[in-house]
Amino acid sequence: MNKAETNQNILIENISRKEKLERNEIEFLLSLSEKDDINQLSQLANEEKSKHVQNITYFRGLLEFSNHCEKNCFYCGIRKGNQHINRYQLSREEIIQAAEFAWKSRYGSIVLQSGELSDAKSVNFICDILQEIRQKTNGELGITLSCGEHTKENYQRFFEAGAHRYLLRIETTDRELYYKIHPKNALHNFENRLNCLYLLKECGYQVGTGVMVGLPGQTISSLAGDLLFFRDFDVDMVGLGPYIEHSQTPLFKMAQPELSREQRFHLTLNMISVLRLMMKNINIAAATALQAIDLMGREKALKAGANIIMPNITPKKYRGDYLLYEDKPCIDEDAEECKDCLDWRIRMIGDEIGYGKWGDSQHFDKRINP
Ligand code: SAH
Ligand code: SF4
C-alpha cells in the first residue's frame, strides 16, 4: 500500500466515524469509486450495523397483489400507458394463502405492494384483506403496505385495518429531476408525494421512503440531498435501489443514464453504507433490483449496512407481469424455492435470520418513546 492510499484510507475512516456527517463529507463518501475504497466504506458501515441493529436480517415476504395502476411514472414497467402487459389482481384467497405461507415459514412480516388505485372499491379491498390477514394469522404477521399516494383518511383506514408500516419512495428529493421522470400533472405532484410522508407519520405508521439511484440527470449532490432529507425527516425505514431501464417506458426512450449498470450498483452500495453511518438504528432494505445487476447484489447490500430482505411470495404465474424494470430476478421461482435459496445465501455472509420476528425499526421505537 503506498502513502497516498494510506492517507485516503485514514480520511475515509475518520469521516465515517464522525457523529454527524456534513454535506461535503457525504458527497466525498458517495463519490468513492475504487473497489478497495468501496469495500472499506462497506466494512465501516457493517460495523455500525453490528453495533446498533446487530447482524440480523429480517424477512418481509413481498406480495405484489395487483399491477393495475392509474399513474404513468416515466420509468416504470407497469405504468398505465404500458399496453404490453397483462393486468392482474390477486383474489382474496390467493392473498390469504400467500400470507399464510409467509406466516408458516416464520417470515415475521409481509409487504403488500401494488400499483396505485384510489377508487373506493380498491381502497375497500385493501382494508378487507388487511383485516383478514390479521385474523387468519392471529395478528402475528407484521404488515407493511406499499400502494402509493392516498388521502389521510385512507391511510388511517389502512392503519386501523392492520397495516403498521408504510413504504412510499419519494423517488428523488430533487424537484427538478422529479419532474423529468414524471408527467407534470396533478397525479404526479412532488409536493403531494412529500406531504403523504407527513400524513403517514401523523397516522402512526413506521414510515419508509427511498429513491432510485443512477437516474439520467441525477448527480452526487442530488443523492446527498436525498440522504440529508432522510435524516431531517427522521425516517424509520429506507428502501433504495438502482434505477434499471425498462424498454417499454418513456424514460428509456428519452434519456440514458450517465452511469453504467455496474456504476449504479456501486453507487447504491455507497448510498446504503453512508445512510447506515448517518442513521444507525433504522431499517434498510437490500433492494431486489440490486440482484438484477449482480447475482450477489442483495448479500453485498447486507454486508454494506442493510438489514432487511424481501423474498418474493407472489404466486409464480403473476411474477412476469410485475416487471417494474427489466431483468428482474427470481421470476421463475416459486416462494418455497426463494425461501431455501435465501436462507443459505444469508447464512453464507454471516448474518442470522430473524425468523418469526417482526423486526420493527428500532428507530421508530425511539422516535415514539424518546
Ligand atoms: N405504486 C407504488 C408501489 C409500487 S412501485 C409506488 O409507486 O409507490 C415500487 C417502486 O418501484 C417505486 O417506488 C420505484 O422506486 C421502483 N421502480 C419503479 N420502476 C423502476 C425502475 N425502472 N428501476 C428501478 N426501480 C423502479
Ligand atoms: Fe404506478 Fe408505482 Fe409504477 Fe408509478 S412507480 S407507475 S405509481 S406502480
Side-chain angles (χ1 to χ4, degrees):
M1 200 180 282
N2 64 35
K3 199 159 176 240
E5 278 171 349
T6 318
N7 287 343
Q8 170 87 336
N9 291 347
I10 294 170
L11 188 60
I12 295 172
E13 173 144 9
N14 286 347
I15 293 178
S16 299
R17 297 208 190 278
K18 280 187 67 175
E19 197 56 47
K20 191 165 184 193
L21 295 182
E22 303 296 335
R23 176 182 263 278
N24 63 328
E25 295 165 333
I26 295 171
E27 290 181 7
F28 166 75
L29 294 177
L30 289 182
S31 306
L32 296 174
S33 59
E34 295 297 326
K35 212 168 160 216
D36 288 347
D37 294 343
I38 296 175
N39 285 344
Q40 190 194 355
L41 177 63
S42 206
Q43 271 168 25
L44 288 159
N46 198 29
E47 273 176 35
E48 294 305 317
K49 169 182 161 182
S50 317
K51 265 192 246 161
H52 296 272
V53 290
Q54 289 75 49
N55 283 101
I56 305 176
T57 295
Y58 293 101
F59 279 0
R60 313 277 185 249
L62 175 64
L63 184 56
E64 297 147 337
F65 68 93
S66 165
N67 68 354
H68 290 275
C69 187
E70 62 201 13
K71 290 179 73 170
N72 257 319
C73 307
F74 288 155
Y75 43 83
C76 177
I78 66 167
R79 63 199 298 276
K80 187 181 181 186
N82 186 0
Q83 281 152 10
H84 303 284
I85 55 167
N86 298 316
R87 298 287 165 178
Y88 72 84
Q89 151 85 59
L90 263 65
S91 66
R92 264 174 102 110
E93 293 71 34
E94 286 171 318
I95 295 174
I96 300 304
Q97 208 178 3
E100 282 181 335
F101 166 82
W103 180 47
K104 287 177 187 151
S105 306
R106 305 186 62 240
Y107 278 6
S109 292
I110 53 169
V111 178
L112 296 174
Q113 193 180 76
S114 68
E116 191 177 304
L117 289 181
S118 54
D119 61 287
K121 196 171 158 222
S122 306
V123 170
N124 290 341
F125 180 77
I126 295 173
C127 291
D128 288 349
I129 57 172
L130 285 167
Q131 276 164 348
E132 198 165 335
I133 292 172
R134 290 219 74 174
Q135 188 217 335
K136 291 267 165 62
T137 60
N138 295 336
E140 286 172 14
L141 205 53
I143 309 177
T144 308
L145 208 52
S146 173
C147 9
E149 295 165 42
H150 286 273
T151 59
K152 184 169 182 191
E153 190 199 348
N154 287 345
Y155 283 145
Q156 210 126 32
R157 286 183 60 200
F158 299 150
F159 188 79
E160 278 151 24
H164 61 112
R165 311 183 187 114
Y166 204 103
L167 195 57
L168 183 77
R169 285 186 177 180
I170 189 72
E171 315 298 1
T172 170
T173 56
D174 180 334
R175 212 174 165 280
E176 213 175 300
L177 180 59
Y178 190 88
Y179 284 115
K180 285 192 181 139
I181 60 168
H182 295 98
K184 218 173 189 173
N185 59 31
L187 254 190
H188 305 79
N189 182 291
F190 177 73
E191 272 69 34
N192 191 56
R193 197 156 181 95
L194 189 58
N195 190 46
C196 282
L197 290 173
Y198 289 95
L199 297 180
L200 288 163
K201 240 189 200 176
E202 282 168 27
C203 292
Y205 284 96
Q206 290 177 48
V207 181
T209 189
V211 292
M212 283 175 286
V213 180
L215 288 160
Q218 196 175 36
T219 59
I220 290 290
S221 158
S222 160
L223 288 165
D226 295 337
L227 293 176
L228 288 166
F229 167 75
F230 299 155
R231 186 168 72 189
D232 293 344
F233 179 77
D234 207 16
V235 70
D236 303 308
M237 327 179 288
V238 171
L240 56 85
Y243 161 66
I244 300 181
E245 307 86 326
H246 189 301
S247 58
Q248 283 156 2
T249 59
L251 191 57
F252 178 79
K253 287 162 195 149
M254 274 156 40
Q256 293 309 309
E258 290 79 5
L259 302 180
S260 68
R261 283 196 179 191
E262 204 188 340
Q263 287 170 320
R264 280 175 258 164
F265 178 84
H266 287 123
L267 189 50
T268 305
L269 288 189
N270 286 359
M271 282 286 283
I272 290 174
S273 297
V274 179
L275 179 61
R276 176 59 72 200
L277 297 173
M278 291 169 73
M279 302 190 77
K280 309 204 192 275
N281 59 359
I282 62 169
N283 278 348
I284 306 177
T288 310
L290 284 164
Q291 205 188 332
I293 304 181
D294 181 323
L295 283 176
M296 293 297 288
R298 289 183 297 182
E299 291 73 12
K300 287 181 184 168
L302 293 173
K303 292 289 269 180
N307 65 331
I308 302 288
I309 209 155
M310 292 157 67
N312 201 319
I313 58 166
T314 309
K316 195 168 160 178
K317 66 174 172 179
Y318 298 113
R319 290 195 193 182
D321 290 318
Y322 199 87
L323 299 185
L324 306 169
Y325 48 85
E326 275 162 0
D327 302 325
K328 199 172 164 213
C330 303
I331 55 169
D332 298 327
E333 286 169 32
D334 64 21
E336 192 71 49
E337 286 169 85
C338 274
K339 181 173 99 181
D340 297 337
C341 163
L342 269 178
D343 186 280
W344 77 258
R345 277 165 170 264
I346 291 166
R347 287 178 199 283
M348 201 171 65
I349 59 154
D351 263 20
E352 246 180 74
I353 301 171
Y355 278 123
K357 302 205 180 93
W358 280 21
D360 275 340
S361 162
Q362 294 185 25
H363 187 83
F364 174 75
D365 293 339
K366 296 231 164 77
R367 180 160 73 75
I368 55 162
N369 298 310

Coordinates of all heavy atoms in Angstrom, one line a residue, residues 64 66 68-69 71 73-78 112-117 145-149 166-172 182 193 210-213 215 239-246 249 251 264 287 289 322-326, ligand 1:
E64 N -46.9 -9.0 -4.5 CA -47.3 -7.9 -5.5 C -48.7 -8.3 -5.9 O -48.9 -9.0 -6.9 CB -46.3 -8.0 -6.6 CG -44.8 -7.7 -6.2 CD -43.8 -8.5 -6.9 OE1 -44.0 -9.5 -7.5 OE2 -42.6 -8.0 -6.9
S66 N -51.3 -6.6 -7.1 CA -52.0 -6.1 -8.3 C -51.1 -5.2 -9.1 O -50.3 -4.5 -8.5 CB -53.2 -5.3 -7.8 OG -53.7 -4.5 -8.9
H68 N -52.4 -3.2 -11.5 CA -53.2 -2.1 -12.0 C -52.7 -0.8 -11.4 O -52.4 -0.8 -10.2 CB -54.7 -2.3 -11.6 CG -55.3 -3.4 -12.3 ND1 -55.9 -3.3 -13.6 CD2 -55.5 -4.7 -12.0 CE1 -56.4 -4.5 -14.0 NE2 -56.2 -5.4 -13.0
C69 N -52.6 0.2 -12.3 CA -52.0 1.5 -11.8 C -52.6 2.6 -12.6 O -52.7 2.5 -13.8 CB -50.5 1.5 -11.9 SG -49.8 2.9 -11.1
K71 N -51.3 5.6 -12.6 CA -50.3 6.6 -12.8 C -49.4 6.2 -14.0 O -49.4 5.1 -14.5 CB -49.4 6.7 -11.5 CG -50.3 7.4 -10.5 CD -49.5 7.6 -9.2 CE -48.5 8.7 -9.3 NZ -48.0 9.0 -7.9
C73 N -45.7 7.0 -14.2 CA -44.3 7.3 -14.0 C -43.5 6.9 -15.2 O -43.7 5.8 -15.7 CB -43.9 6.6 -12.7 SG -45.0 7.0 -11.3
F74 N -42.6 7.8 -15.6 CA -41.9 7.5 -16.9 C -41.0 6.3 -16.9 O -40.6 5.9 -18.0 CB -41.1 8.8 -17.3 CG -41.9 10.0 -17.8 CD1 -41.4 11.3 -17.6 CD2 -43.2 9.8 -18.3 CE1 -42.1 12.4 -18.1 CE2 -43.9 10.9 -18.8 CZ -43.4 12.2 -18.6
Y75 N -40.6 5.9 -15.7 CA -39.6 4.8 -15.6 C -40.1 3.4 -15.4 O -39.4 2.4 -15.5 CB -38.6 5.2 -14.4 CG -39.4 5.6 -13.2 CD1 -39.9 4.7 -12.3 CD2 -39.6 7.0 -13.0 CE1 -40.7 5.1 -11.2 CE2 -40.3 7.4 -11.9 CZ -40.9 6.5 -11.0 OH -41.6 6.9 -10.0
C76 N -41.4 3.3 -15.1 CA -41.9 2.1 -14.5 C -42.6 1.2 -15.6 O -43.5 1.7 -16.3 CB -42.9 2.5 -13.4 SG -43.7 1.0 -12.7
G77 N -42.3 -0.1 -15.5 CA -42.8 -1.0 -16.5 C -44.3 -1.3 -16.3 O -45.0 -1.8 -17.3
I78 N -44.9 -1.0 -15.2 CA -46.4 -1.3 -15.0 C -47.2 0.0 -15.1 O -48.4 0.0 -14.7 CB -46.7 -2.2 -13.8 CG1 -46.4 -1.4 -12.5 CG2 -45.9 -3.5 -13.8 CD1 -47.0 -2.1 -11.2
L112 N -47.3 -5.7 1.4 CA -48.3 -5.8 0.3 C -48.1 -4.6 -0.6 O -48.2 -3.5 -0.2 CB -49.7 -5.7 0.9 CG -50.2 -6.8 1.9 CD1 -51.5 -6.4 2.5 CD2 -50.3 -8.1 1.1
Q113 N -47.7 -5.0 -1.9 CA -47.4 -3.9 -2.8 C -48.2 -4.0 -4.1 O -48.6 -5.1 -4.5 CB -45.9 -4.0 -3.2 CG -45.4 -2.7 -3.9 CD -44.0 -2.8 -4.3 OE1 -43.6 -3.4 -5.2 NE2 -43.2 -2.0 -3.5
S114 N -48.5 -2.8 -4.6 CA -49.3 -2.8 -5.9 C -49.1 -1.4 -6.6 O -48.4 -0.5 -6.1 CB -50.8 -2.9 -5.5 OG -51.2 -1.7 -4.9
G115 N -49.7 -1.3 -7.8 CA -49.8 -0.1 -8.4 C -50.7 0.8 -7.6 O -51.2 0.4 -6.6
E116 N -50.9 2.0 -8.1 CA -51.8 3.0 -7.3 C -53.2 3.1 -7.9 O -53.4 3.5 -9.0 CB -51.1 4.3 -7.3 CG -51.6 5.3 -6.3 CD -50.9 6.6 -6.4 OE1 -49.6 6.6 -6.2 OE2 -51.5 7.6 -6.6
L117 N -54.2 2.7 -7.1 CA -55.6 2.9 -7.4 C -56.3 3.5 -6.2 O -56.2 3.0 -5.1 CB -56.2 1.5 -7.7 CG -55.8 0.8 -9.0 CD1 -56.6 -0.5 -9.1 CD2 -56.1 1.7 -10.3
L145 N -47.5 -1.8 4.1 CA -48.2 -1.5 2.9 C -47.4 -0.6 1.9 O -46.7 0.2 2.4 CB -49.5 -0.8 3.3 CG -50.8 -1.0 2.4 CD1 -51.1 -2.4 2.1 CD2 -52.0 -0.3 3.1
S146 N -47.5 -0.9 0.6 CA -46.8 0.0 -0.3 C -47.7 0.1 -1.6 O -47.5 -0.6 -2.5 CB -45.5 -0.7 -0.6 OG -44.8 0.0 -1.7
C147 N -48.7 1.0 -1.5 CA -49.6 1.1 -2.6 C -49.8 2.6 -2.9 O -50.9 3.0 -3.3 CB -50.9 0.4 -2.5 SG -51.3 -0.3 -1.0
G148 N -48.8 3.4 -2.8 CA -48.8 4.7 -3.3 C -49.4 5.8 -2.5 O -49.6 5.7 -1.3
E149 N -49.8 6.8 -3.2 CA -50.4 8.0 -2.6 C -51.9 7.9 -2.3 O -52.6 7.5 -3.2 CB -50.1 9.3 -3.4 CG -48.6 9.6 -3.6 CD -48.3 10.5 -4.7 OE1 -49.1 11.5 -4.9 OE2 -47.3 10.3 -5.4
Y166 N -45.5 1.7 6.4 CA -45.9 2.1 5.0 C -44.6 2.5 4.3 O -43.8 3.3 4.8 CB -46.9 3.3 5.0 CG -47.7 3.3 3.7 CD1 -49.0 2.9 3.7 CD2 -47.2 3.8 2.6 CE1 -49.8 2.9 2.5 CE2 -47.9 3.9 1.4 CZ -49.2 3.4 1.4 OH -49.9 3.4 0.2
L167 N -44.5 2.0 3.1 CA -43.3 2.3 2.2 C -43.8 3.2 1.0 O -44.6 2.7 0.2 CB -42.7 1.0 1.8 CG -41.3 1.0 1.2 CD1 -40.3 1.6 2.2 CD2 -40.9 -0.4 0.8
L168 N -43.3 4.4 1.0 CA -43.6 5.3 -0.1 C -42.3 6.0 -0.5 O -41.9 7.0 0.1 CB -44.6 6.3 0.3 CG -45.1 7.2 -0.8 CD1 -46.1 6.5 -1.8 CD2 -45.8 8.5 -0.2
R169 N -41.7 5.5 -1.6 CA -40.4 6.1 -2.0 C -40.7 7.5 -2.6 O -41.6 7.6 -3.4 CB -39.7 5.3 -3.1 CG -39.0 4.0 -2.6 CD -38.3 3.4 -3.8 NE -37.6 2.2 -3.4 CZ -36.8 1.5 -4.3 NH1 -36.8 1.9 -5.6 NH2 -36.2 0.5 -3.9
I170 N -39.9 8.5 -2.2 CA -40.1 9.8 -2.7 C -39.5 9.8 -4.2 O -39.7 10.7 -4.9 CB -39.4 10.9 -1.8 CG1 -39.7 12.3 -2.2 CG2 -37.9 10.7 -1.6 CD1 -41.1 12.7 -2.0
E171 N -38.7 8.8 -4.5 CA -38.0 8.6 -5.8 C -36.8 9.4 -6.0 O -35.8 9.0 -6.4 CB -39.0 8.7 -7.0 CG -40.4 8.0 -6.8 CD -40.3 6.5 -6.6 OE1 -39.2 5.9 -6.6 OE2 -41.4 5.9 -6.5
T172 N -37.0 10.7 -5.8 CA -35.8 11.7 -5.7 C -36.3 12.9 -5.0 O -37.5 13.3 -5.1 CB -35.3 12.1 -7.1 OG1 -34.4 13.2 -6.9 CG2 -36.4 12.6 -8.0
H182 N -41.3 12.2 -14.2 CA -42.8 12.0 -14.1 C -43.5 13.0 -15.0 O -43.0 14.1 -15.2 CB -43.3 12.3 -12.6 CG -42.7 11.3 -11.6 ND1 -41.6 11.6 -10.9 CD2 -43.1 10.1 -11.2 CE1 -41.4 10.6 -10.1 NE2 -42.3 9.6 -10.3
R193 N -46.6 14.1 -3.0 CA -46.0 12.8 -2.5 C -45.2 13.1 -1.2 O -45.3 12.3 -0.3 CB -45.0 12.4 -3.6 CG -44.5 10.9 -3.4 CD -44.1 10.3 -4.7 NE -43.7 8.9 -4.5 CZ -44.5 7.8 -4.8 NH1 -45.7 8.0 -5.2 NH2 -44.0 6.6 -4.6
G210 N -37.6 6.2 0.1 CA -36.4 5.8 -0.6 C -36.3 6.5 -2.0 O -37.2 7.2 -2.4
V211 N -35.2 6.1 -2.7 CA -35.0 6.8 -4.0 C -34.5 5.7 -5.0 O -34.0 4.7 -4.6 CB -34.0 7.9 -3.9 CG1 -34.6 9.1 -3.1 CG2 -32.7 7.5 -3.3
M212 N -34.5 6.1 -6.3 CA -33.8 5.3 -7.3 C -32.4 6.0 -7.5 O -32.3 7.2 -7.4 CB -34.5 5.3 -8.6 CG -35.7 4.3 -8.5 SD -36.7 4.4 -10.0 CE -37.5 6.0 -9.8
V213 N -31.4 5.1 -7.7 CA -30.0 5.6 -7.8 C -29.5 5.4 -9.2 O -29.6 4.3 -9.7 CB -29.1 4.9 -6.8 CG1 -27.7 5.4 -6.9 CG2 -29.7 5.0 -5.3
L215 N -30.4 7.6 -11.9 CA -31.3 8.0 -12.9 C -30.6 9.0 -13.8 O -29.6 9.6 -13.5 CB -32.4 8.8 -12.1 CG -33.4 8.1 -11.3 CD1 -34.1 9.0 -10.3 CD2 -34.5 7.4 -12.2
G239 N -35.8 2.1 1.6 CA -35.6 1.1 0.6 C -35.1 1.9 -0.6 O -35.8 2.7 -1.2
L240 N -33.8 1.7 -1.0 CA -33.3 2.4 -2.2 C -32.6 1.4 -3.1 O -32.0 0.5 -2.6 CB -32.4 3.6 -1.8 CG -31.2 3.4 -0.9 CD1 -30.0 2.9 -1.7 CD2 -30.9 4.7 -0.1
G241 N -32.7 1.6 -4.3 CA -32.1 0.7 -5.3 C -31.7 1.3 -6.6 O -32.1 2.5 -6.8
P242 N -31.0 0.6 -7.4 CA -30.5 1.2 -8.6 C -31.7 1.4 -9.6 O -32.6 0.6 -9.6 CB -29.6 0.2 -9.2 CG -30.0 -1.1 -8.6 CD -30.5 -0.8 -7.2
Y243 N -31.7 2.5 -10.4 CA -32.6 2.6 -11.5 C -32.2 1.6 -12.6 O -31.0 1.5 -12.9 CB -32.6 4.0 -12.1 CG -33.2 4.1 -13.5 CD1 -34.5 3.9 -13.7 CD2 -32.3 4.4 -14.6 CE1 -35.0 3.9 -15.0 CE2 -32.9 4.5 -15.8 CZ -34.2 4.3 -16.0 OH -34.7 4.3 -17.3
I244 N -33.2 0.9 -13.1 CA -32.9 -0.1 -14.1 C -33.9 0.2 -15.3 O -35.1 0.3 -15.0 CB -33.0 -1.5 -13.6 CG1 -32.0 -1.8 -12.5 CG2 -32.8 -2.5 -14.8 CD1 -32.0 -3.2 -11.9
E245 N -33.4 0.3 -16.5 CA -34.2 0.6 -17.6 C -35.3 -0.4 -17.9 O -35.1 -1.6 -17.6 CB -33.3 0.8 -18.9 CG -32.2 1.7 -18.8 CD -30.9 1.0 -18.2 OE1 -31.0 0.1 -17.4 OE2 -29.8 1.4 -18.7
H246 N -36.4 0.1 -18.4 CA -37.4 -0.8 -19.0 C -37.7 -0.3 -20.4 O -38.1 0.9 -20.5 CB -38.6 -0.8 -18.1 CG -39.7 -1.8 -18.4 ND1 -40.2 -1.9 -19.7 CD2 -40.2 -2.9 -17.7 CE1 -41.1 -2.9 -19.7 NE2 -41.1 -3.5 -18.5
T249 N -40.8 2.0 -21.7 CA -41.1 3.2 -20.9 C -40.6 4.4 -21.6 O -39.6 4.4 -22.3 CB -40.5 3.1 -19.5 OG1 -39.1 3.0 -19.6 CG2 -41.0 2.0 -18.6
L251 N -39.0 6.9 -20.2 CA -37.7 7.4 -19.8 C -36.6 6.6 -20.6 O -35.6 7.2 -20.9 CB -37.5 7.1 -18.3 CG -36.3 7.7 -17.6 CD1 -36.2 9.2 -17.9 CD2 -36.2 7.4 -16.2
R264 N -23.9 2.1 -11.2 CA -25.2 2.4 -10.4 C -25.2 1.4 -9.2 O -25.6 1.8 -8.2 CB -26.4 2.2 -11.3 CG -26.8 3.3 -12.2 CD -27.9 3.0 -13.1 NE -27.5 2.7 -14.5 CZ -28.2 2.1 -15.4 NH1 -29.4 1.7 -15.1 NH2 -27.7 1.8 -16.6
A287 N -32.4 -3.9 -1.7 CA -33.4 -3.9 -2.8 C -33.1 -5.1 -3.8 O -32.0 -5.4 -4.1 CB -33.3 -2.6 -3.5
A289 N -33.7 -5.1 -6.8 CA -33.1 -4.5 -8.1 C -31.6 -4.7 -8.1 O -31.0 -4.8 -9.2 CB -33.5 -3.1 -8.3
Y322 N -45.3 -8.4 -13.3 CA -45.0 -7.3 -12.3 C -43.5 -6.8 -12.5 O -42.7 -6.8 -11.6 CB -45.2 -7.7 -10.9 CG -45.3 -6.6 -9.9 CD1 -46.6 -6.0 -9.7 CD2 -44.2 -6.1 -9.2 CE1 -46.7 -4.9 -8.8 CE2 -44.4 -5.0 -8.3 CZ -45.6 -4.4 -8.1 OH -45.8 -3.4 -7.2
L323 N -43.2 -6.5 -13.8 CA -41.9 -6.1 -14.1 C -41.8 -4.6 -14.1 O -42.0 -3.9 -15.1 CB -41.4 -6.7 -15.4 CG -41.4 -8.2 -15.6 CD1 -40.8 -8.7 -16.9 CD2 -40.6 -8.9 -14.4
L324 N -41.4 -4.0 -12.9 CA -41.2 -2.6 -12.8 C -40.0 -2.2 -13.7 O -40.0 -1.1 -14.3 CB -40.9 -2.2 -11.4 CG -42.0 -2.7 -10.3 CD1 -41.4 -2.5 -8.9 CD2 -43.3 -2.0 -10.5
Y325 N -39.1 -3.1 -13.8 CA -37.8 -2.9 -14.5 C -37.5 -4.2 -15.2 O -38.0 -5.3 -14.8 CB -36.7 -2.4 -13.6 CG -36.5 -3.2 -12.4 CD1 -35.8 -4.4 -12.4 CD2 -37.2 -2.9 -11.2 CE1 -35.7 -5.2 -11.2 CE2 -37.1 -3.6 -10.1 CZ -36.3 -4.8 -10.1 OH -36.2 -5.5 -9.0
E326 N -36.5 -4.2 -16.2 CA -36.2 -5.4 -16.8 C -35.1 -6.2 -16.1 O -34.5 -5.7 -15.1 CB -35.7 -5.1 -18.2 CG -36.9 -5.0 -19.2 CD -36.6 -4.3 -20.5 OE1 -35.5 -3.8 -20.7 OE2 -37.6 -4.1 -21.3
Ligands
SAH1 N1 -47.1 2.0 -6.8 C1 -46.4 2.1 -5.6 C2 -45.6 0.9 -5.2 C3 -45.1 0.1 -6.4 S1 -43.7 0.7 -7.3 C4 -45.5 3.4 -5.6 O1 -45.1 3.8 -6.7 O2 -45.1 3.8 -4.5 C5 -42.4 0.4 -6.1 C6 -41.1 1.1 -6.5 O3 -40.5 0.5 -7.7 C7 -41.2 2.6 -6.9 O4 -41.3 3.4 -5.7 C8 -39.9 2.8 -7.7 O5 -38.9 3.3 -6.9 C9 -39.5 1.4 -8.1 N2 -39.3 1.3 -9.5 C10 -40.2 1.5 -10.5 N3 -39.7 1.5 -11.7 C11 -38.3 1.2 -11.5 C12 -37.2 1.1 -12.4 N4 -37.3 1.2 -13.7 N5 -36.0 0.8 -11.8 C13 -35.9 0.7 -10.5 N6 -36.9 0.9 -9.6 C14 -38.1 1.1 -10.1

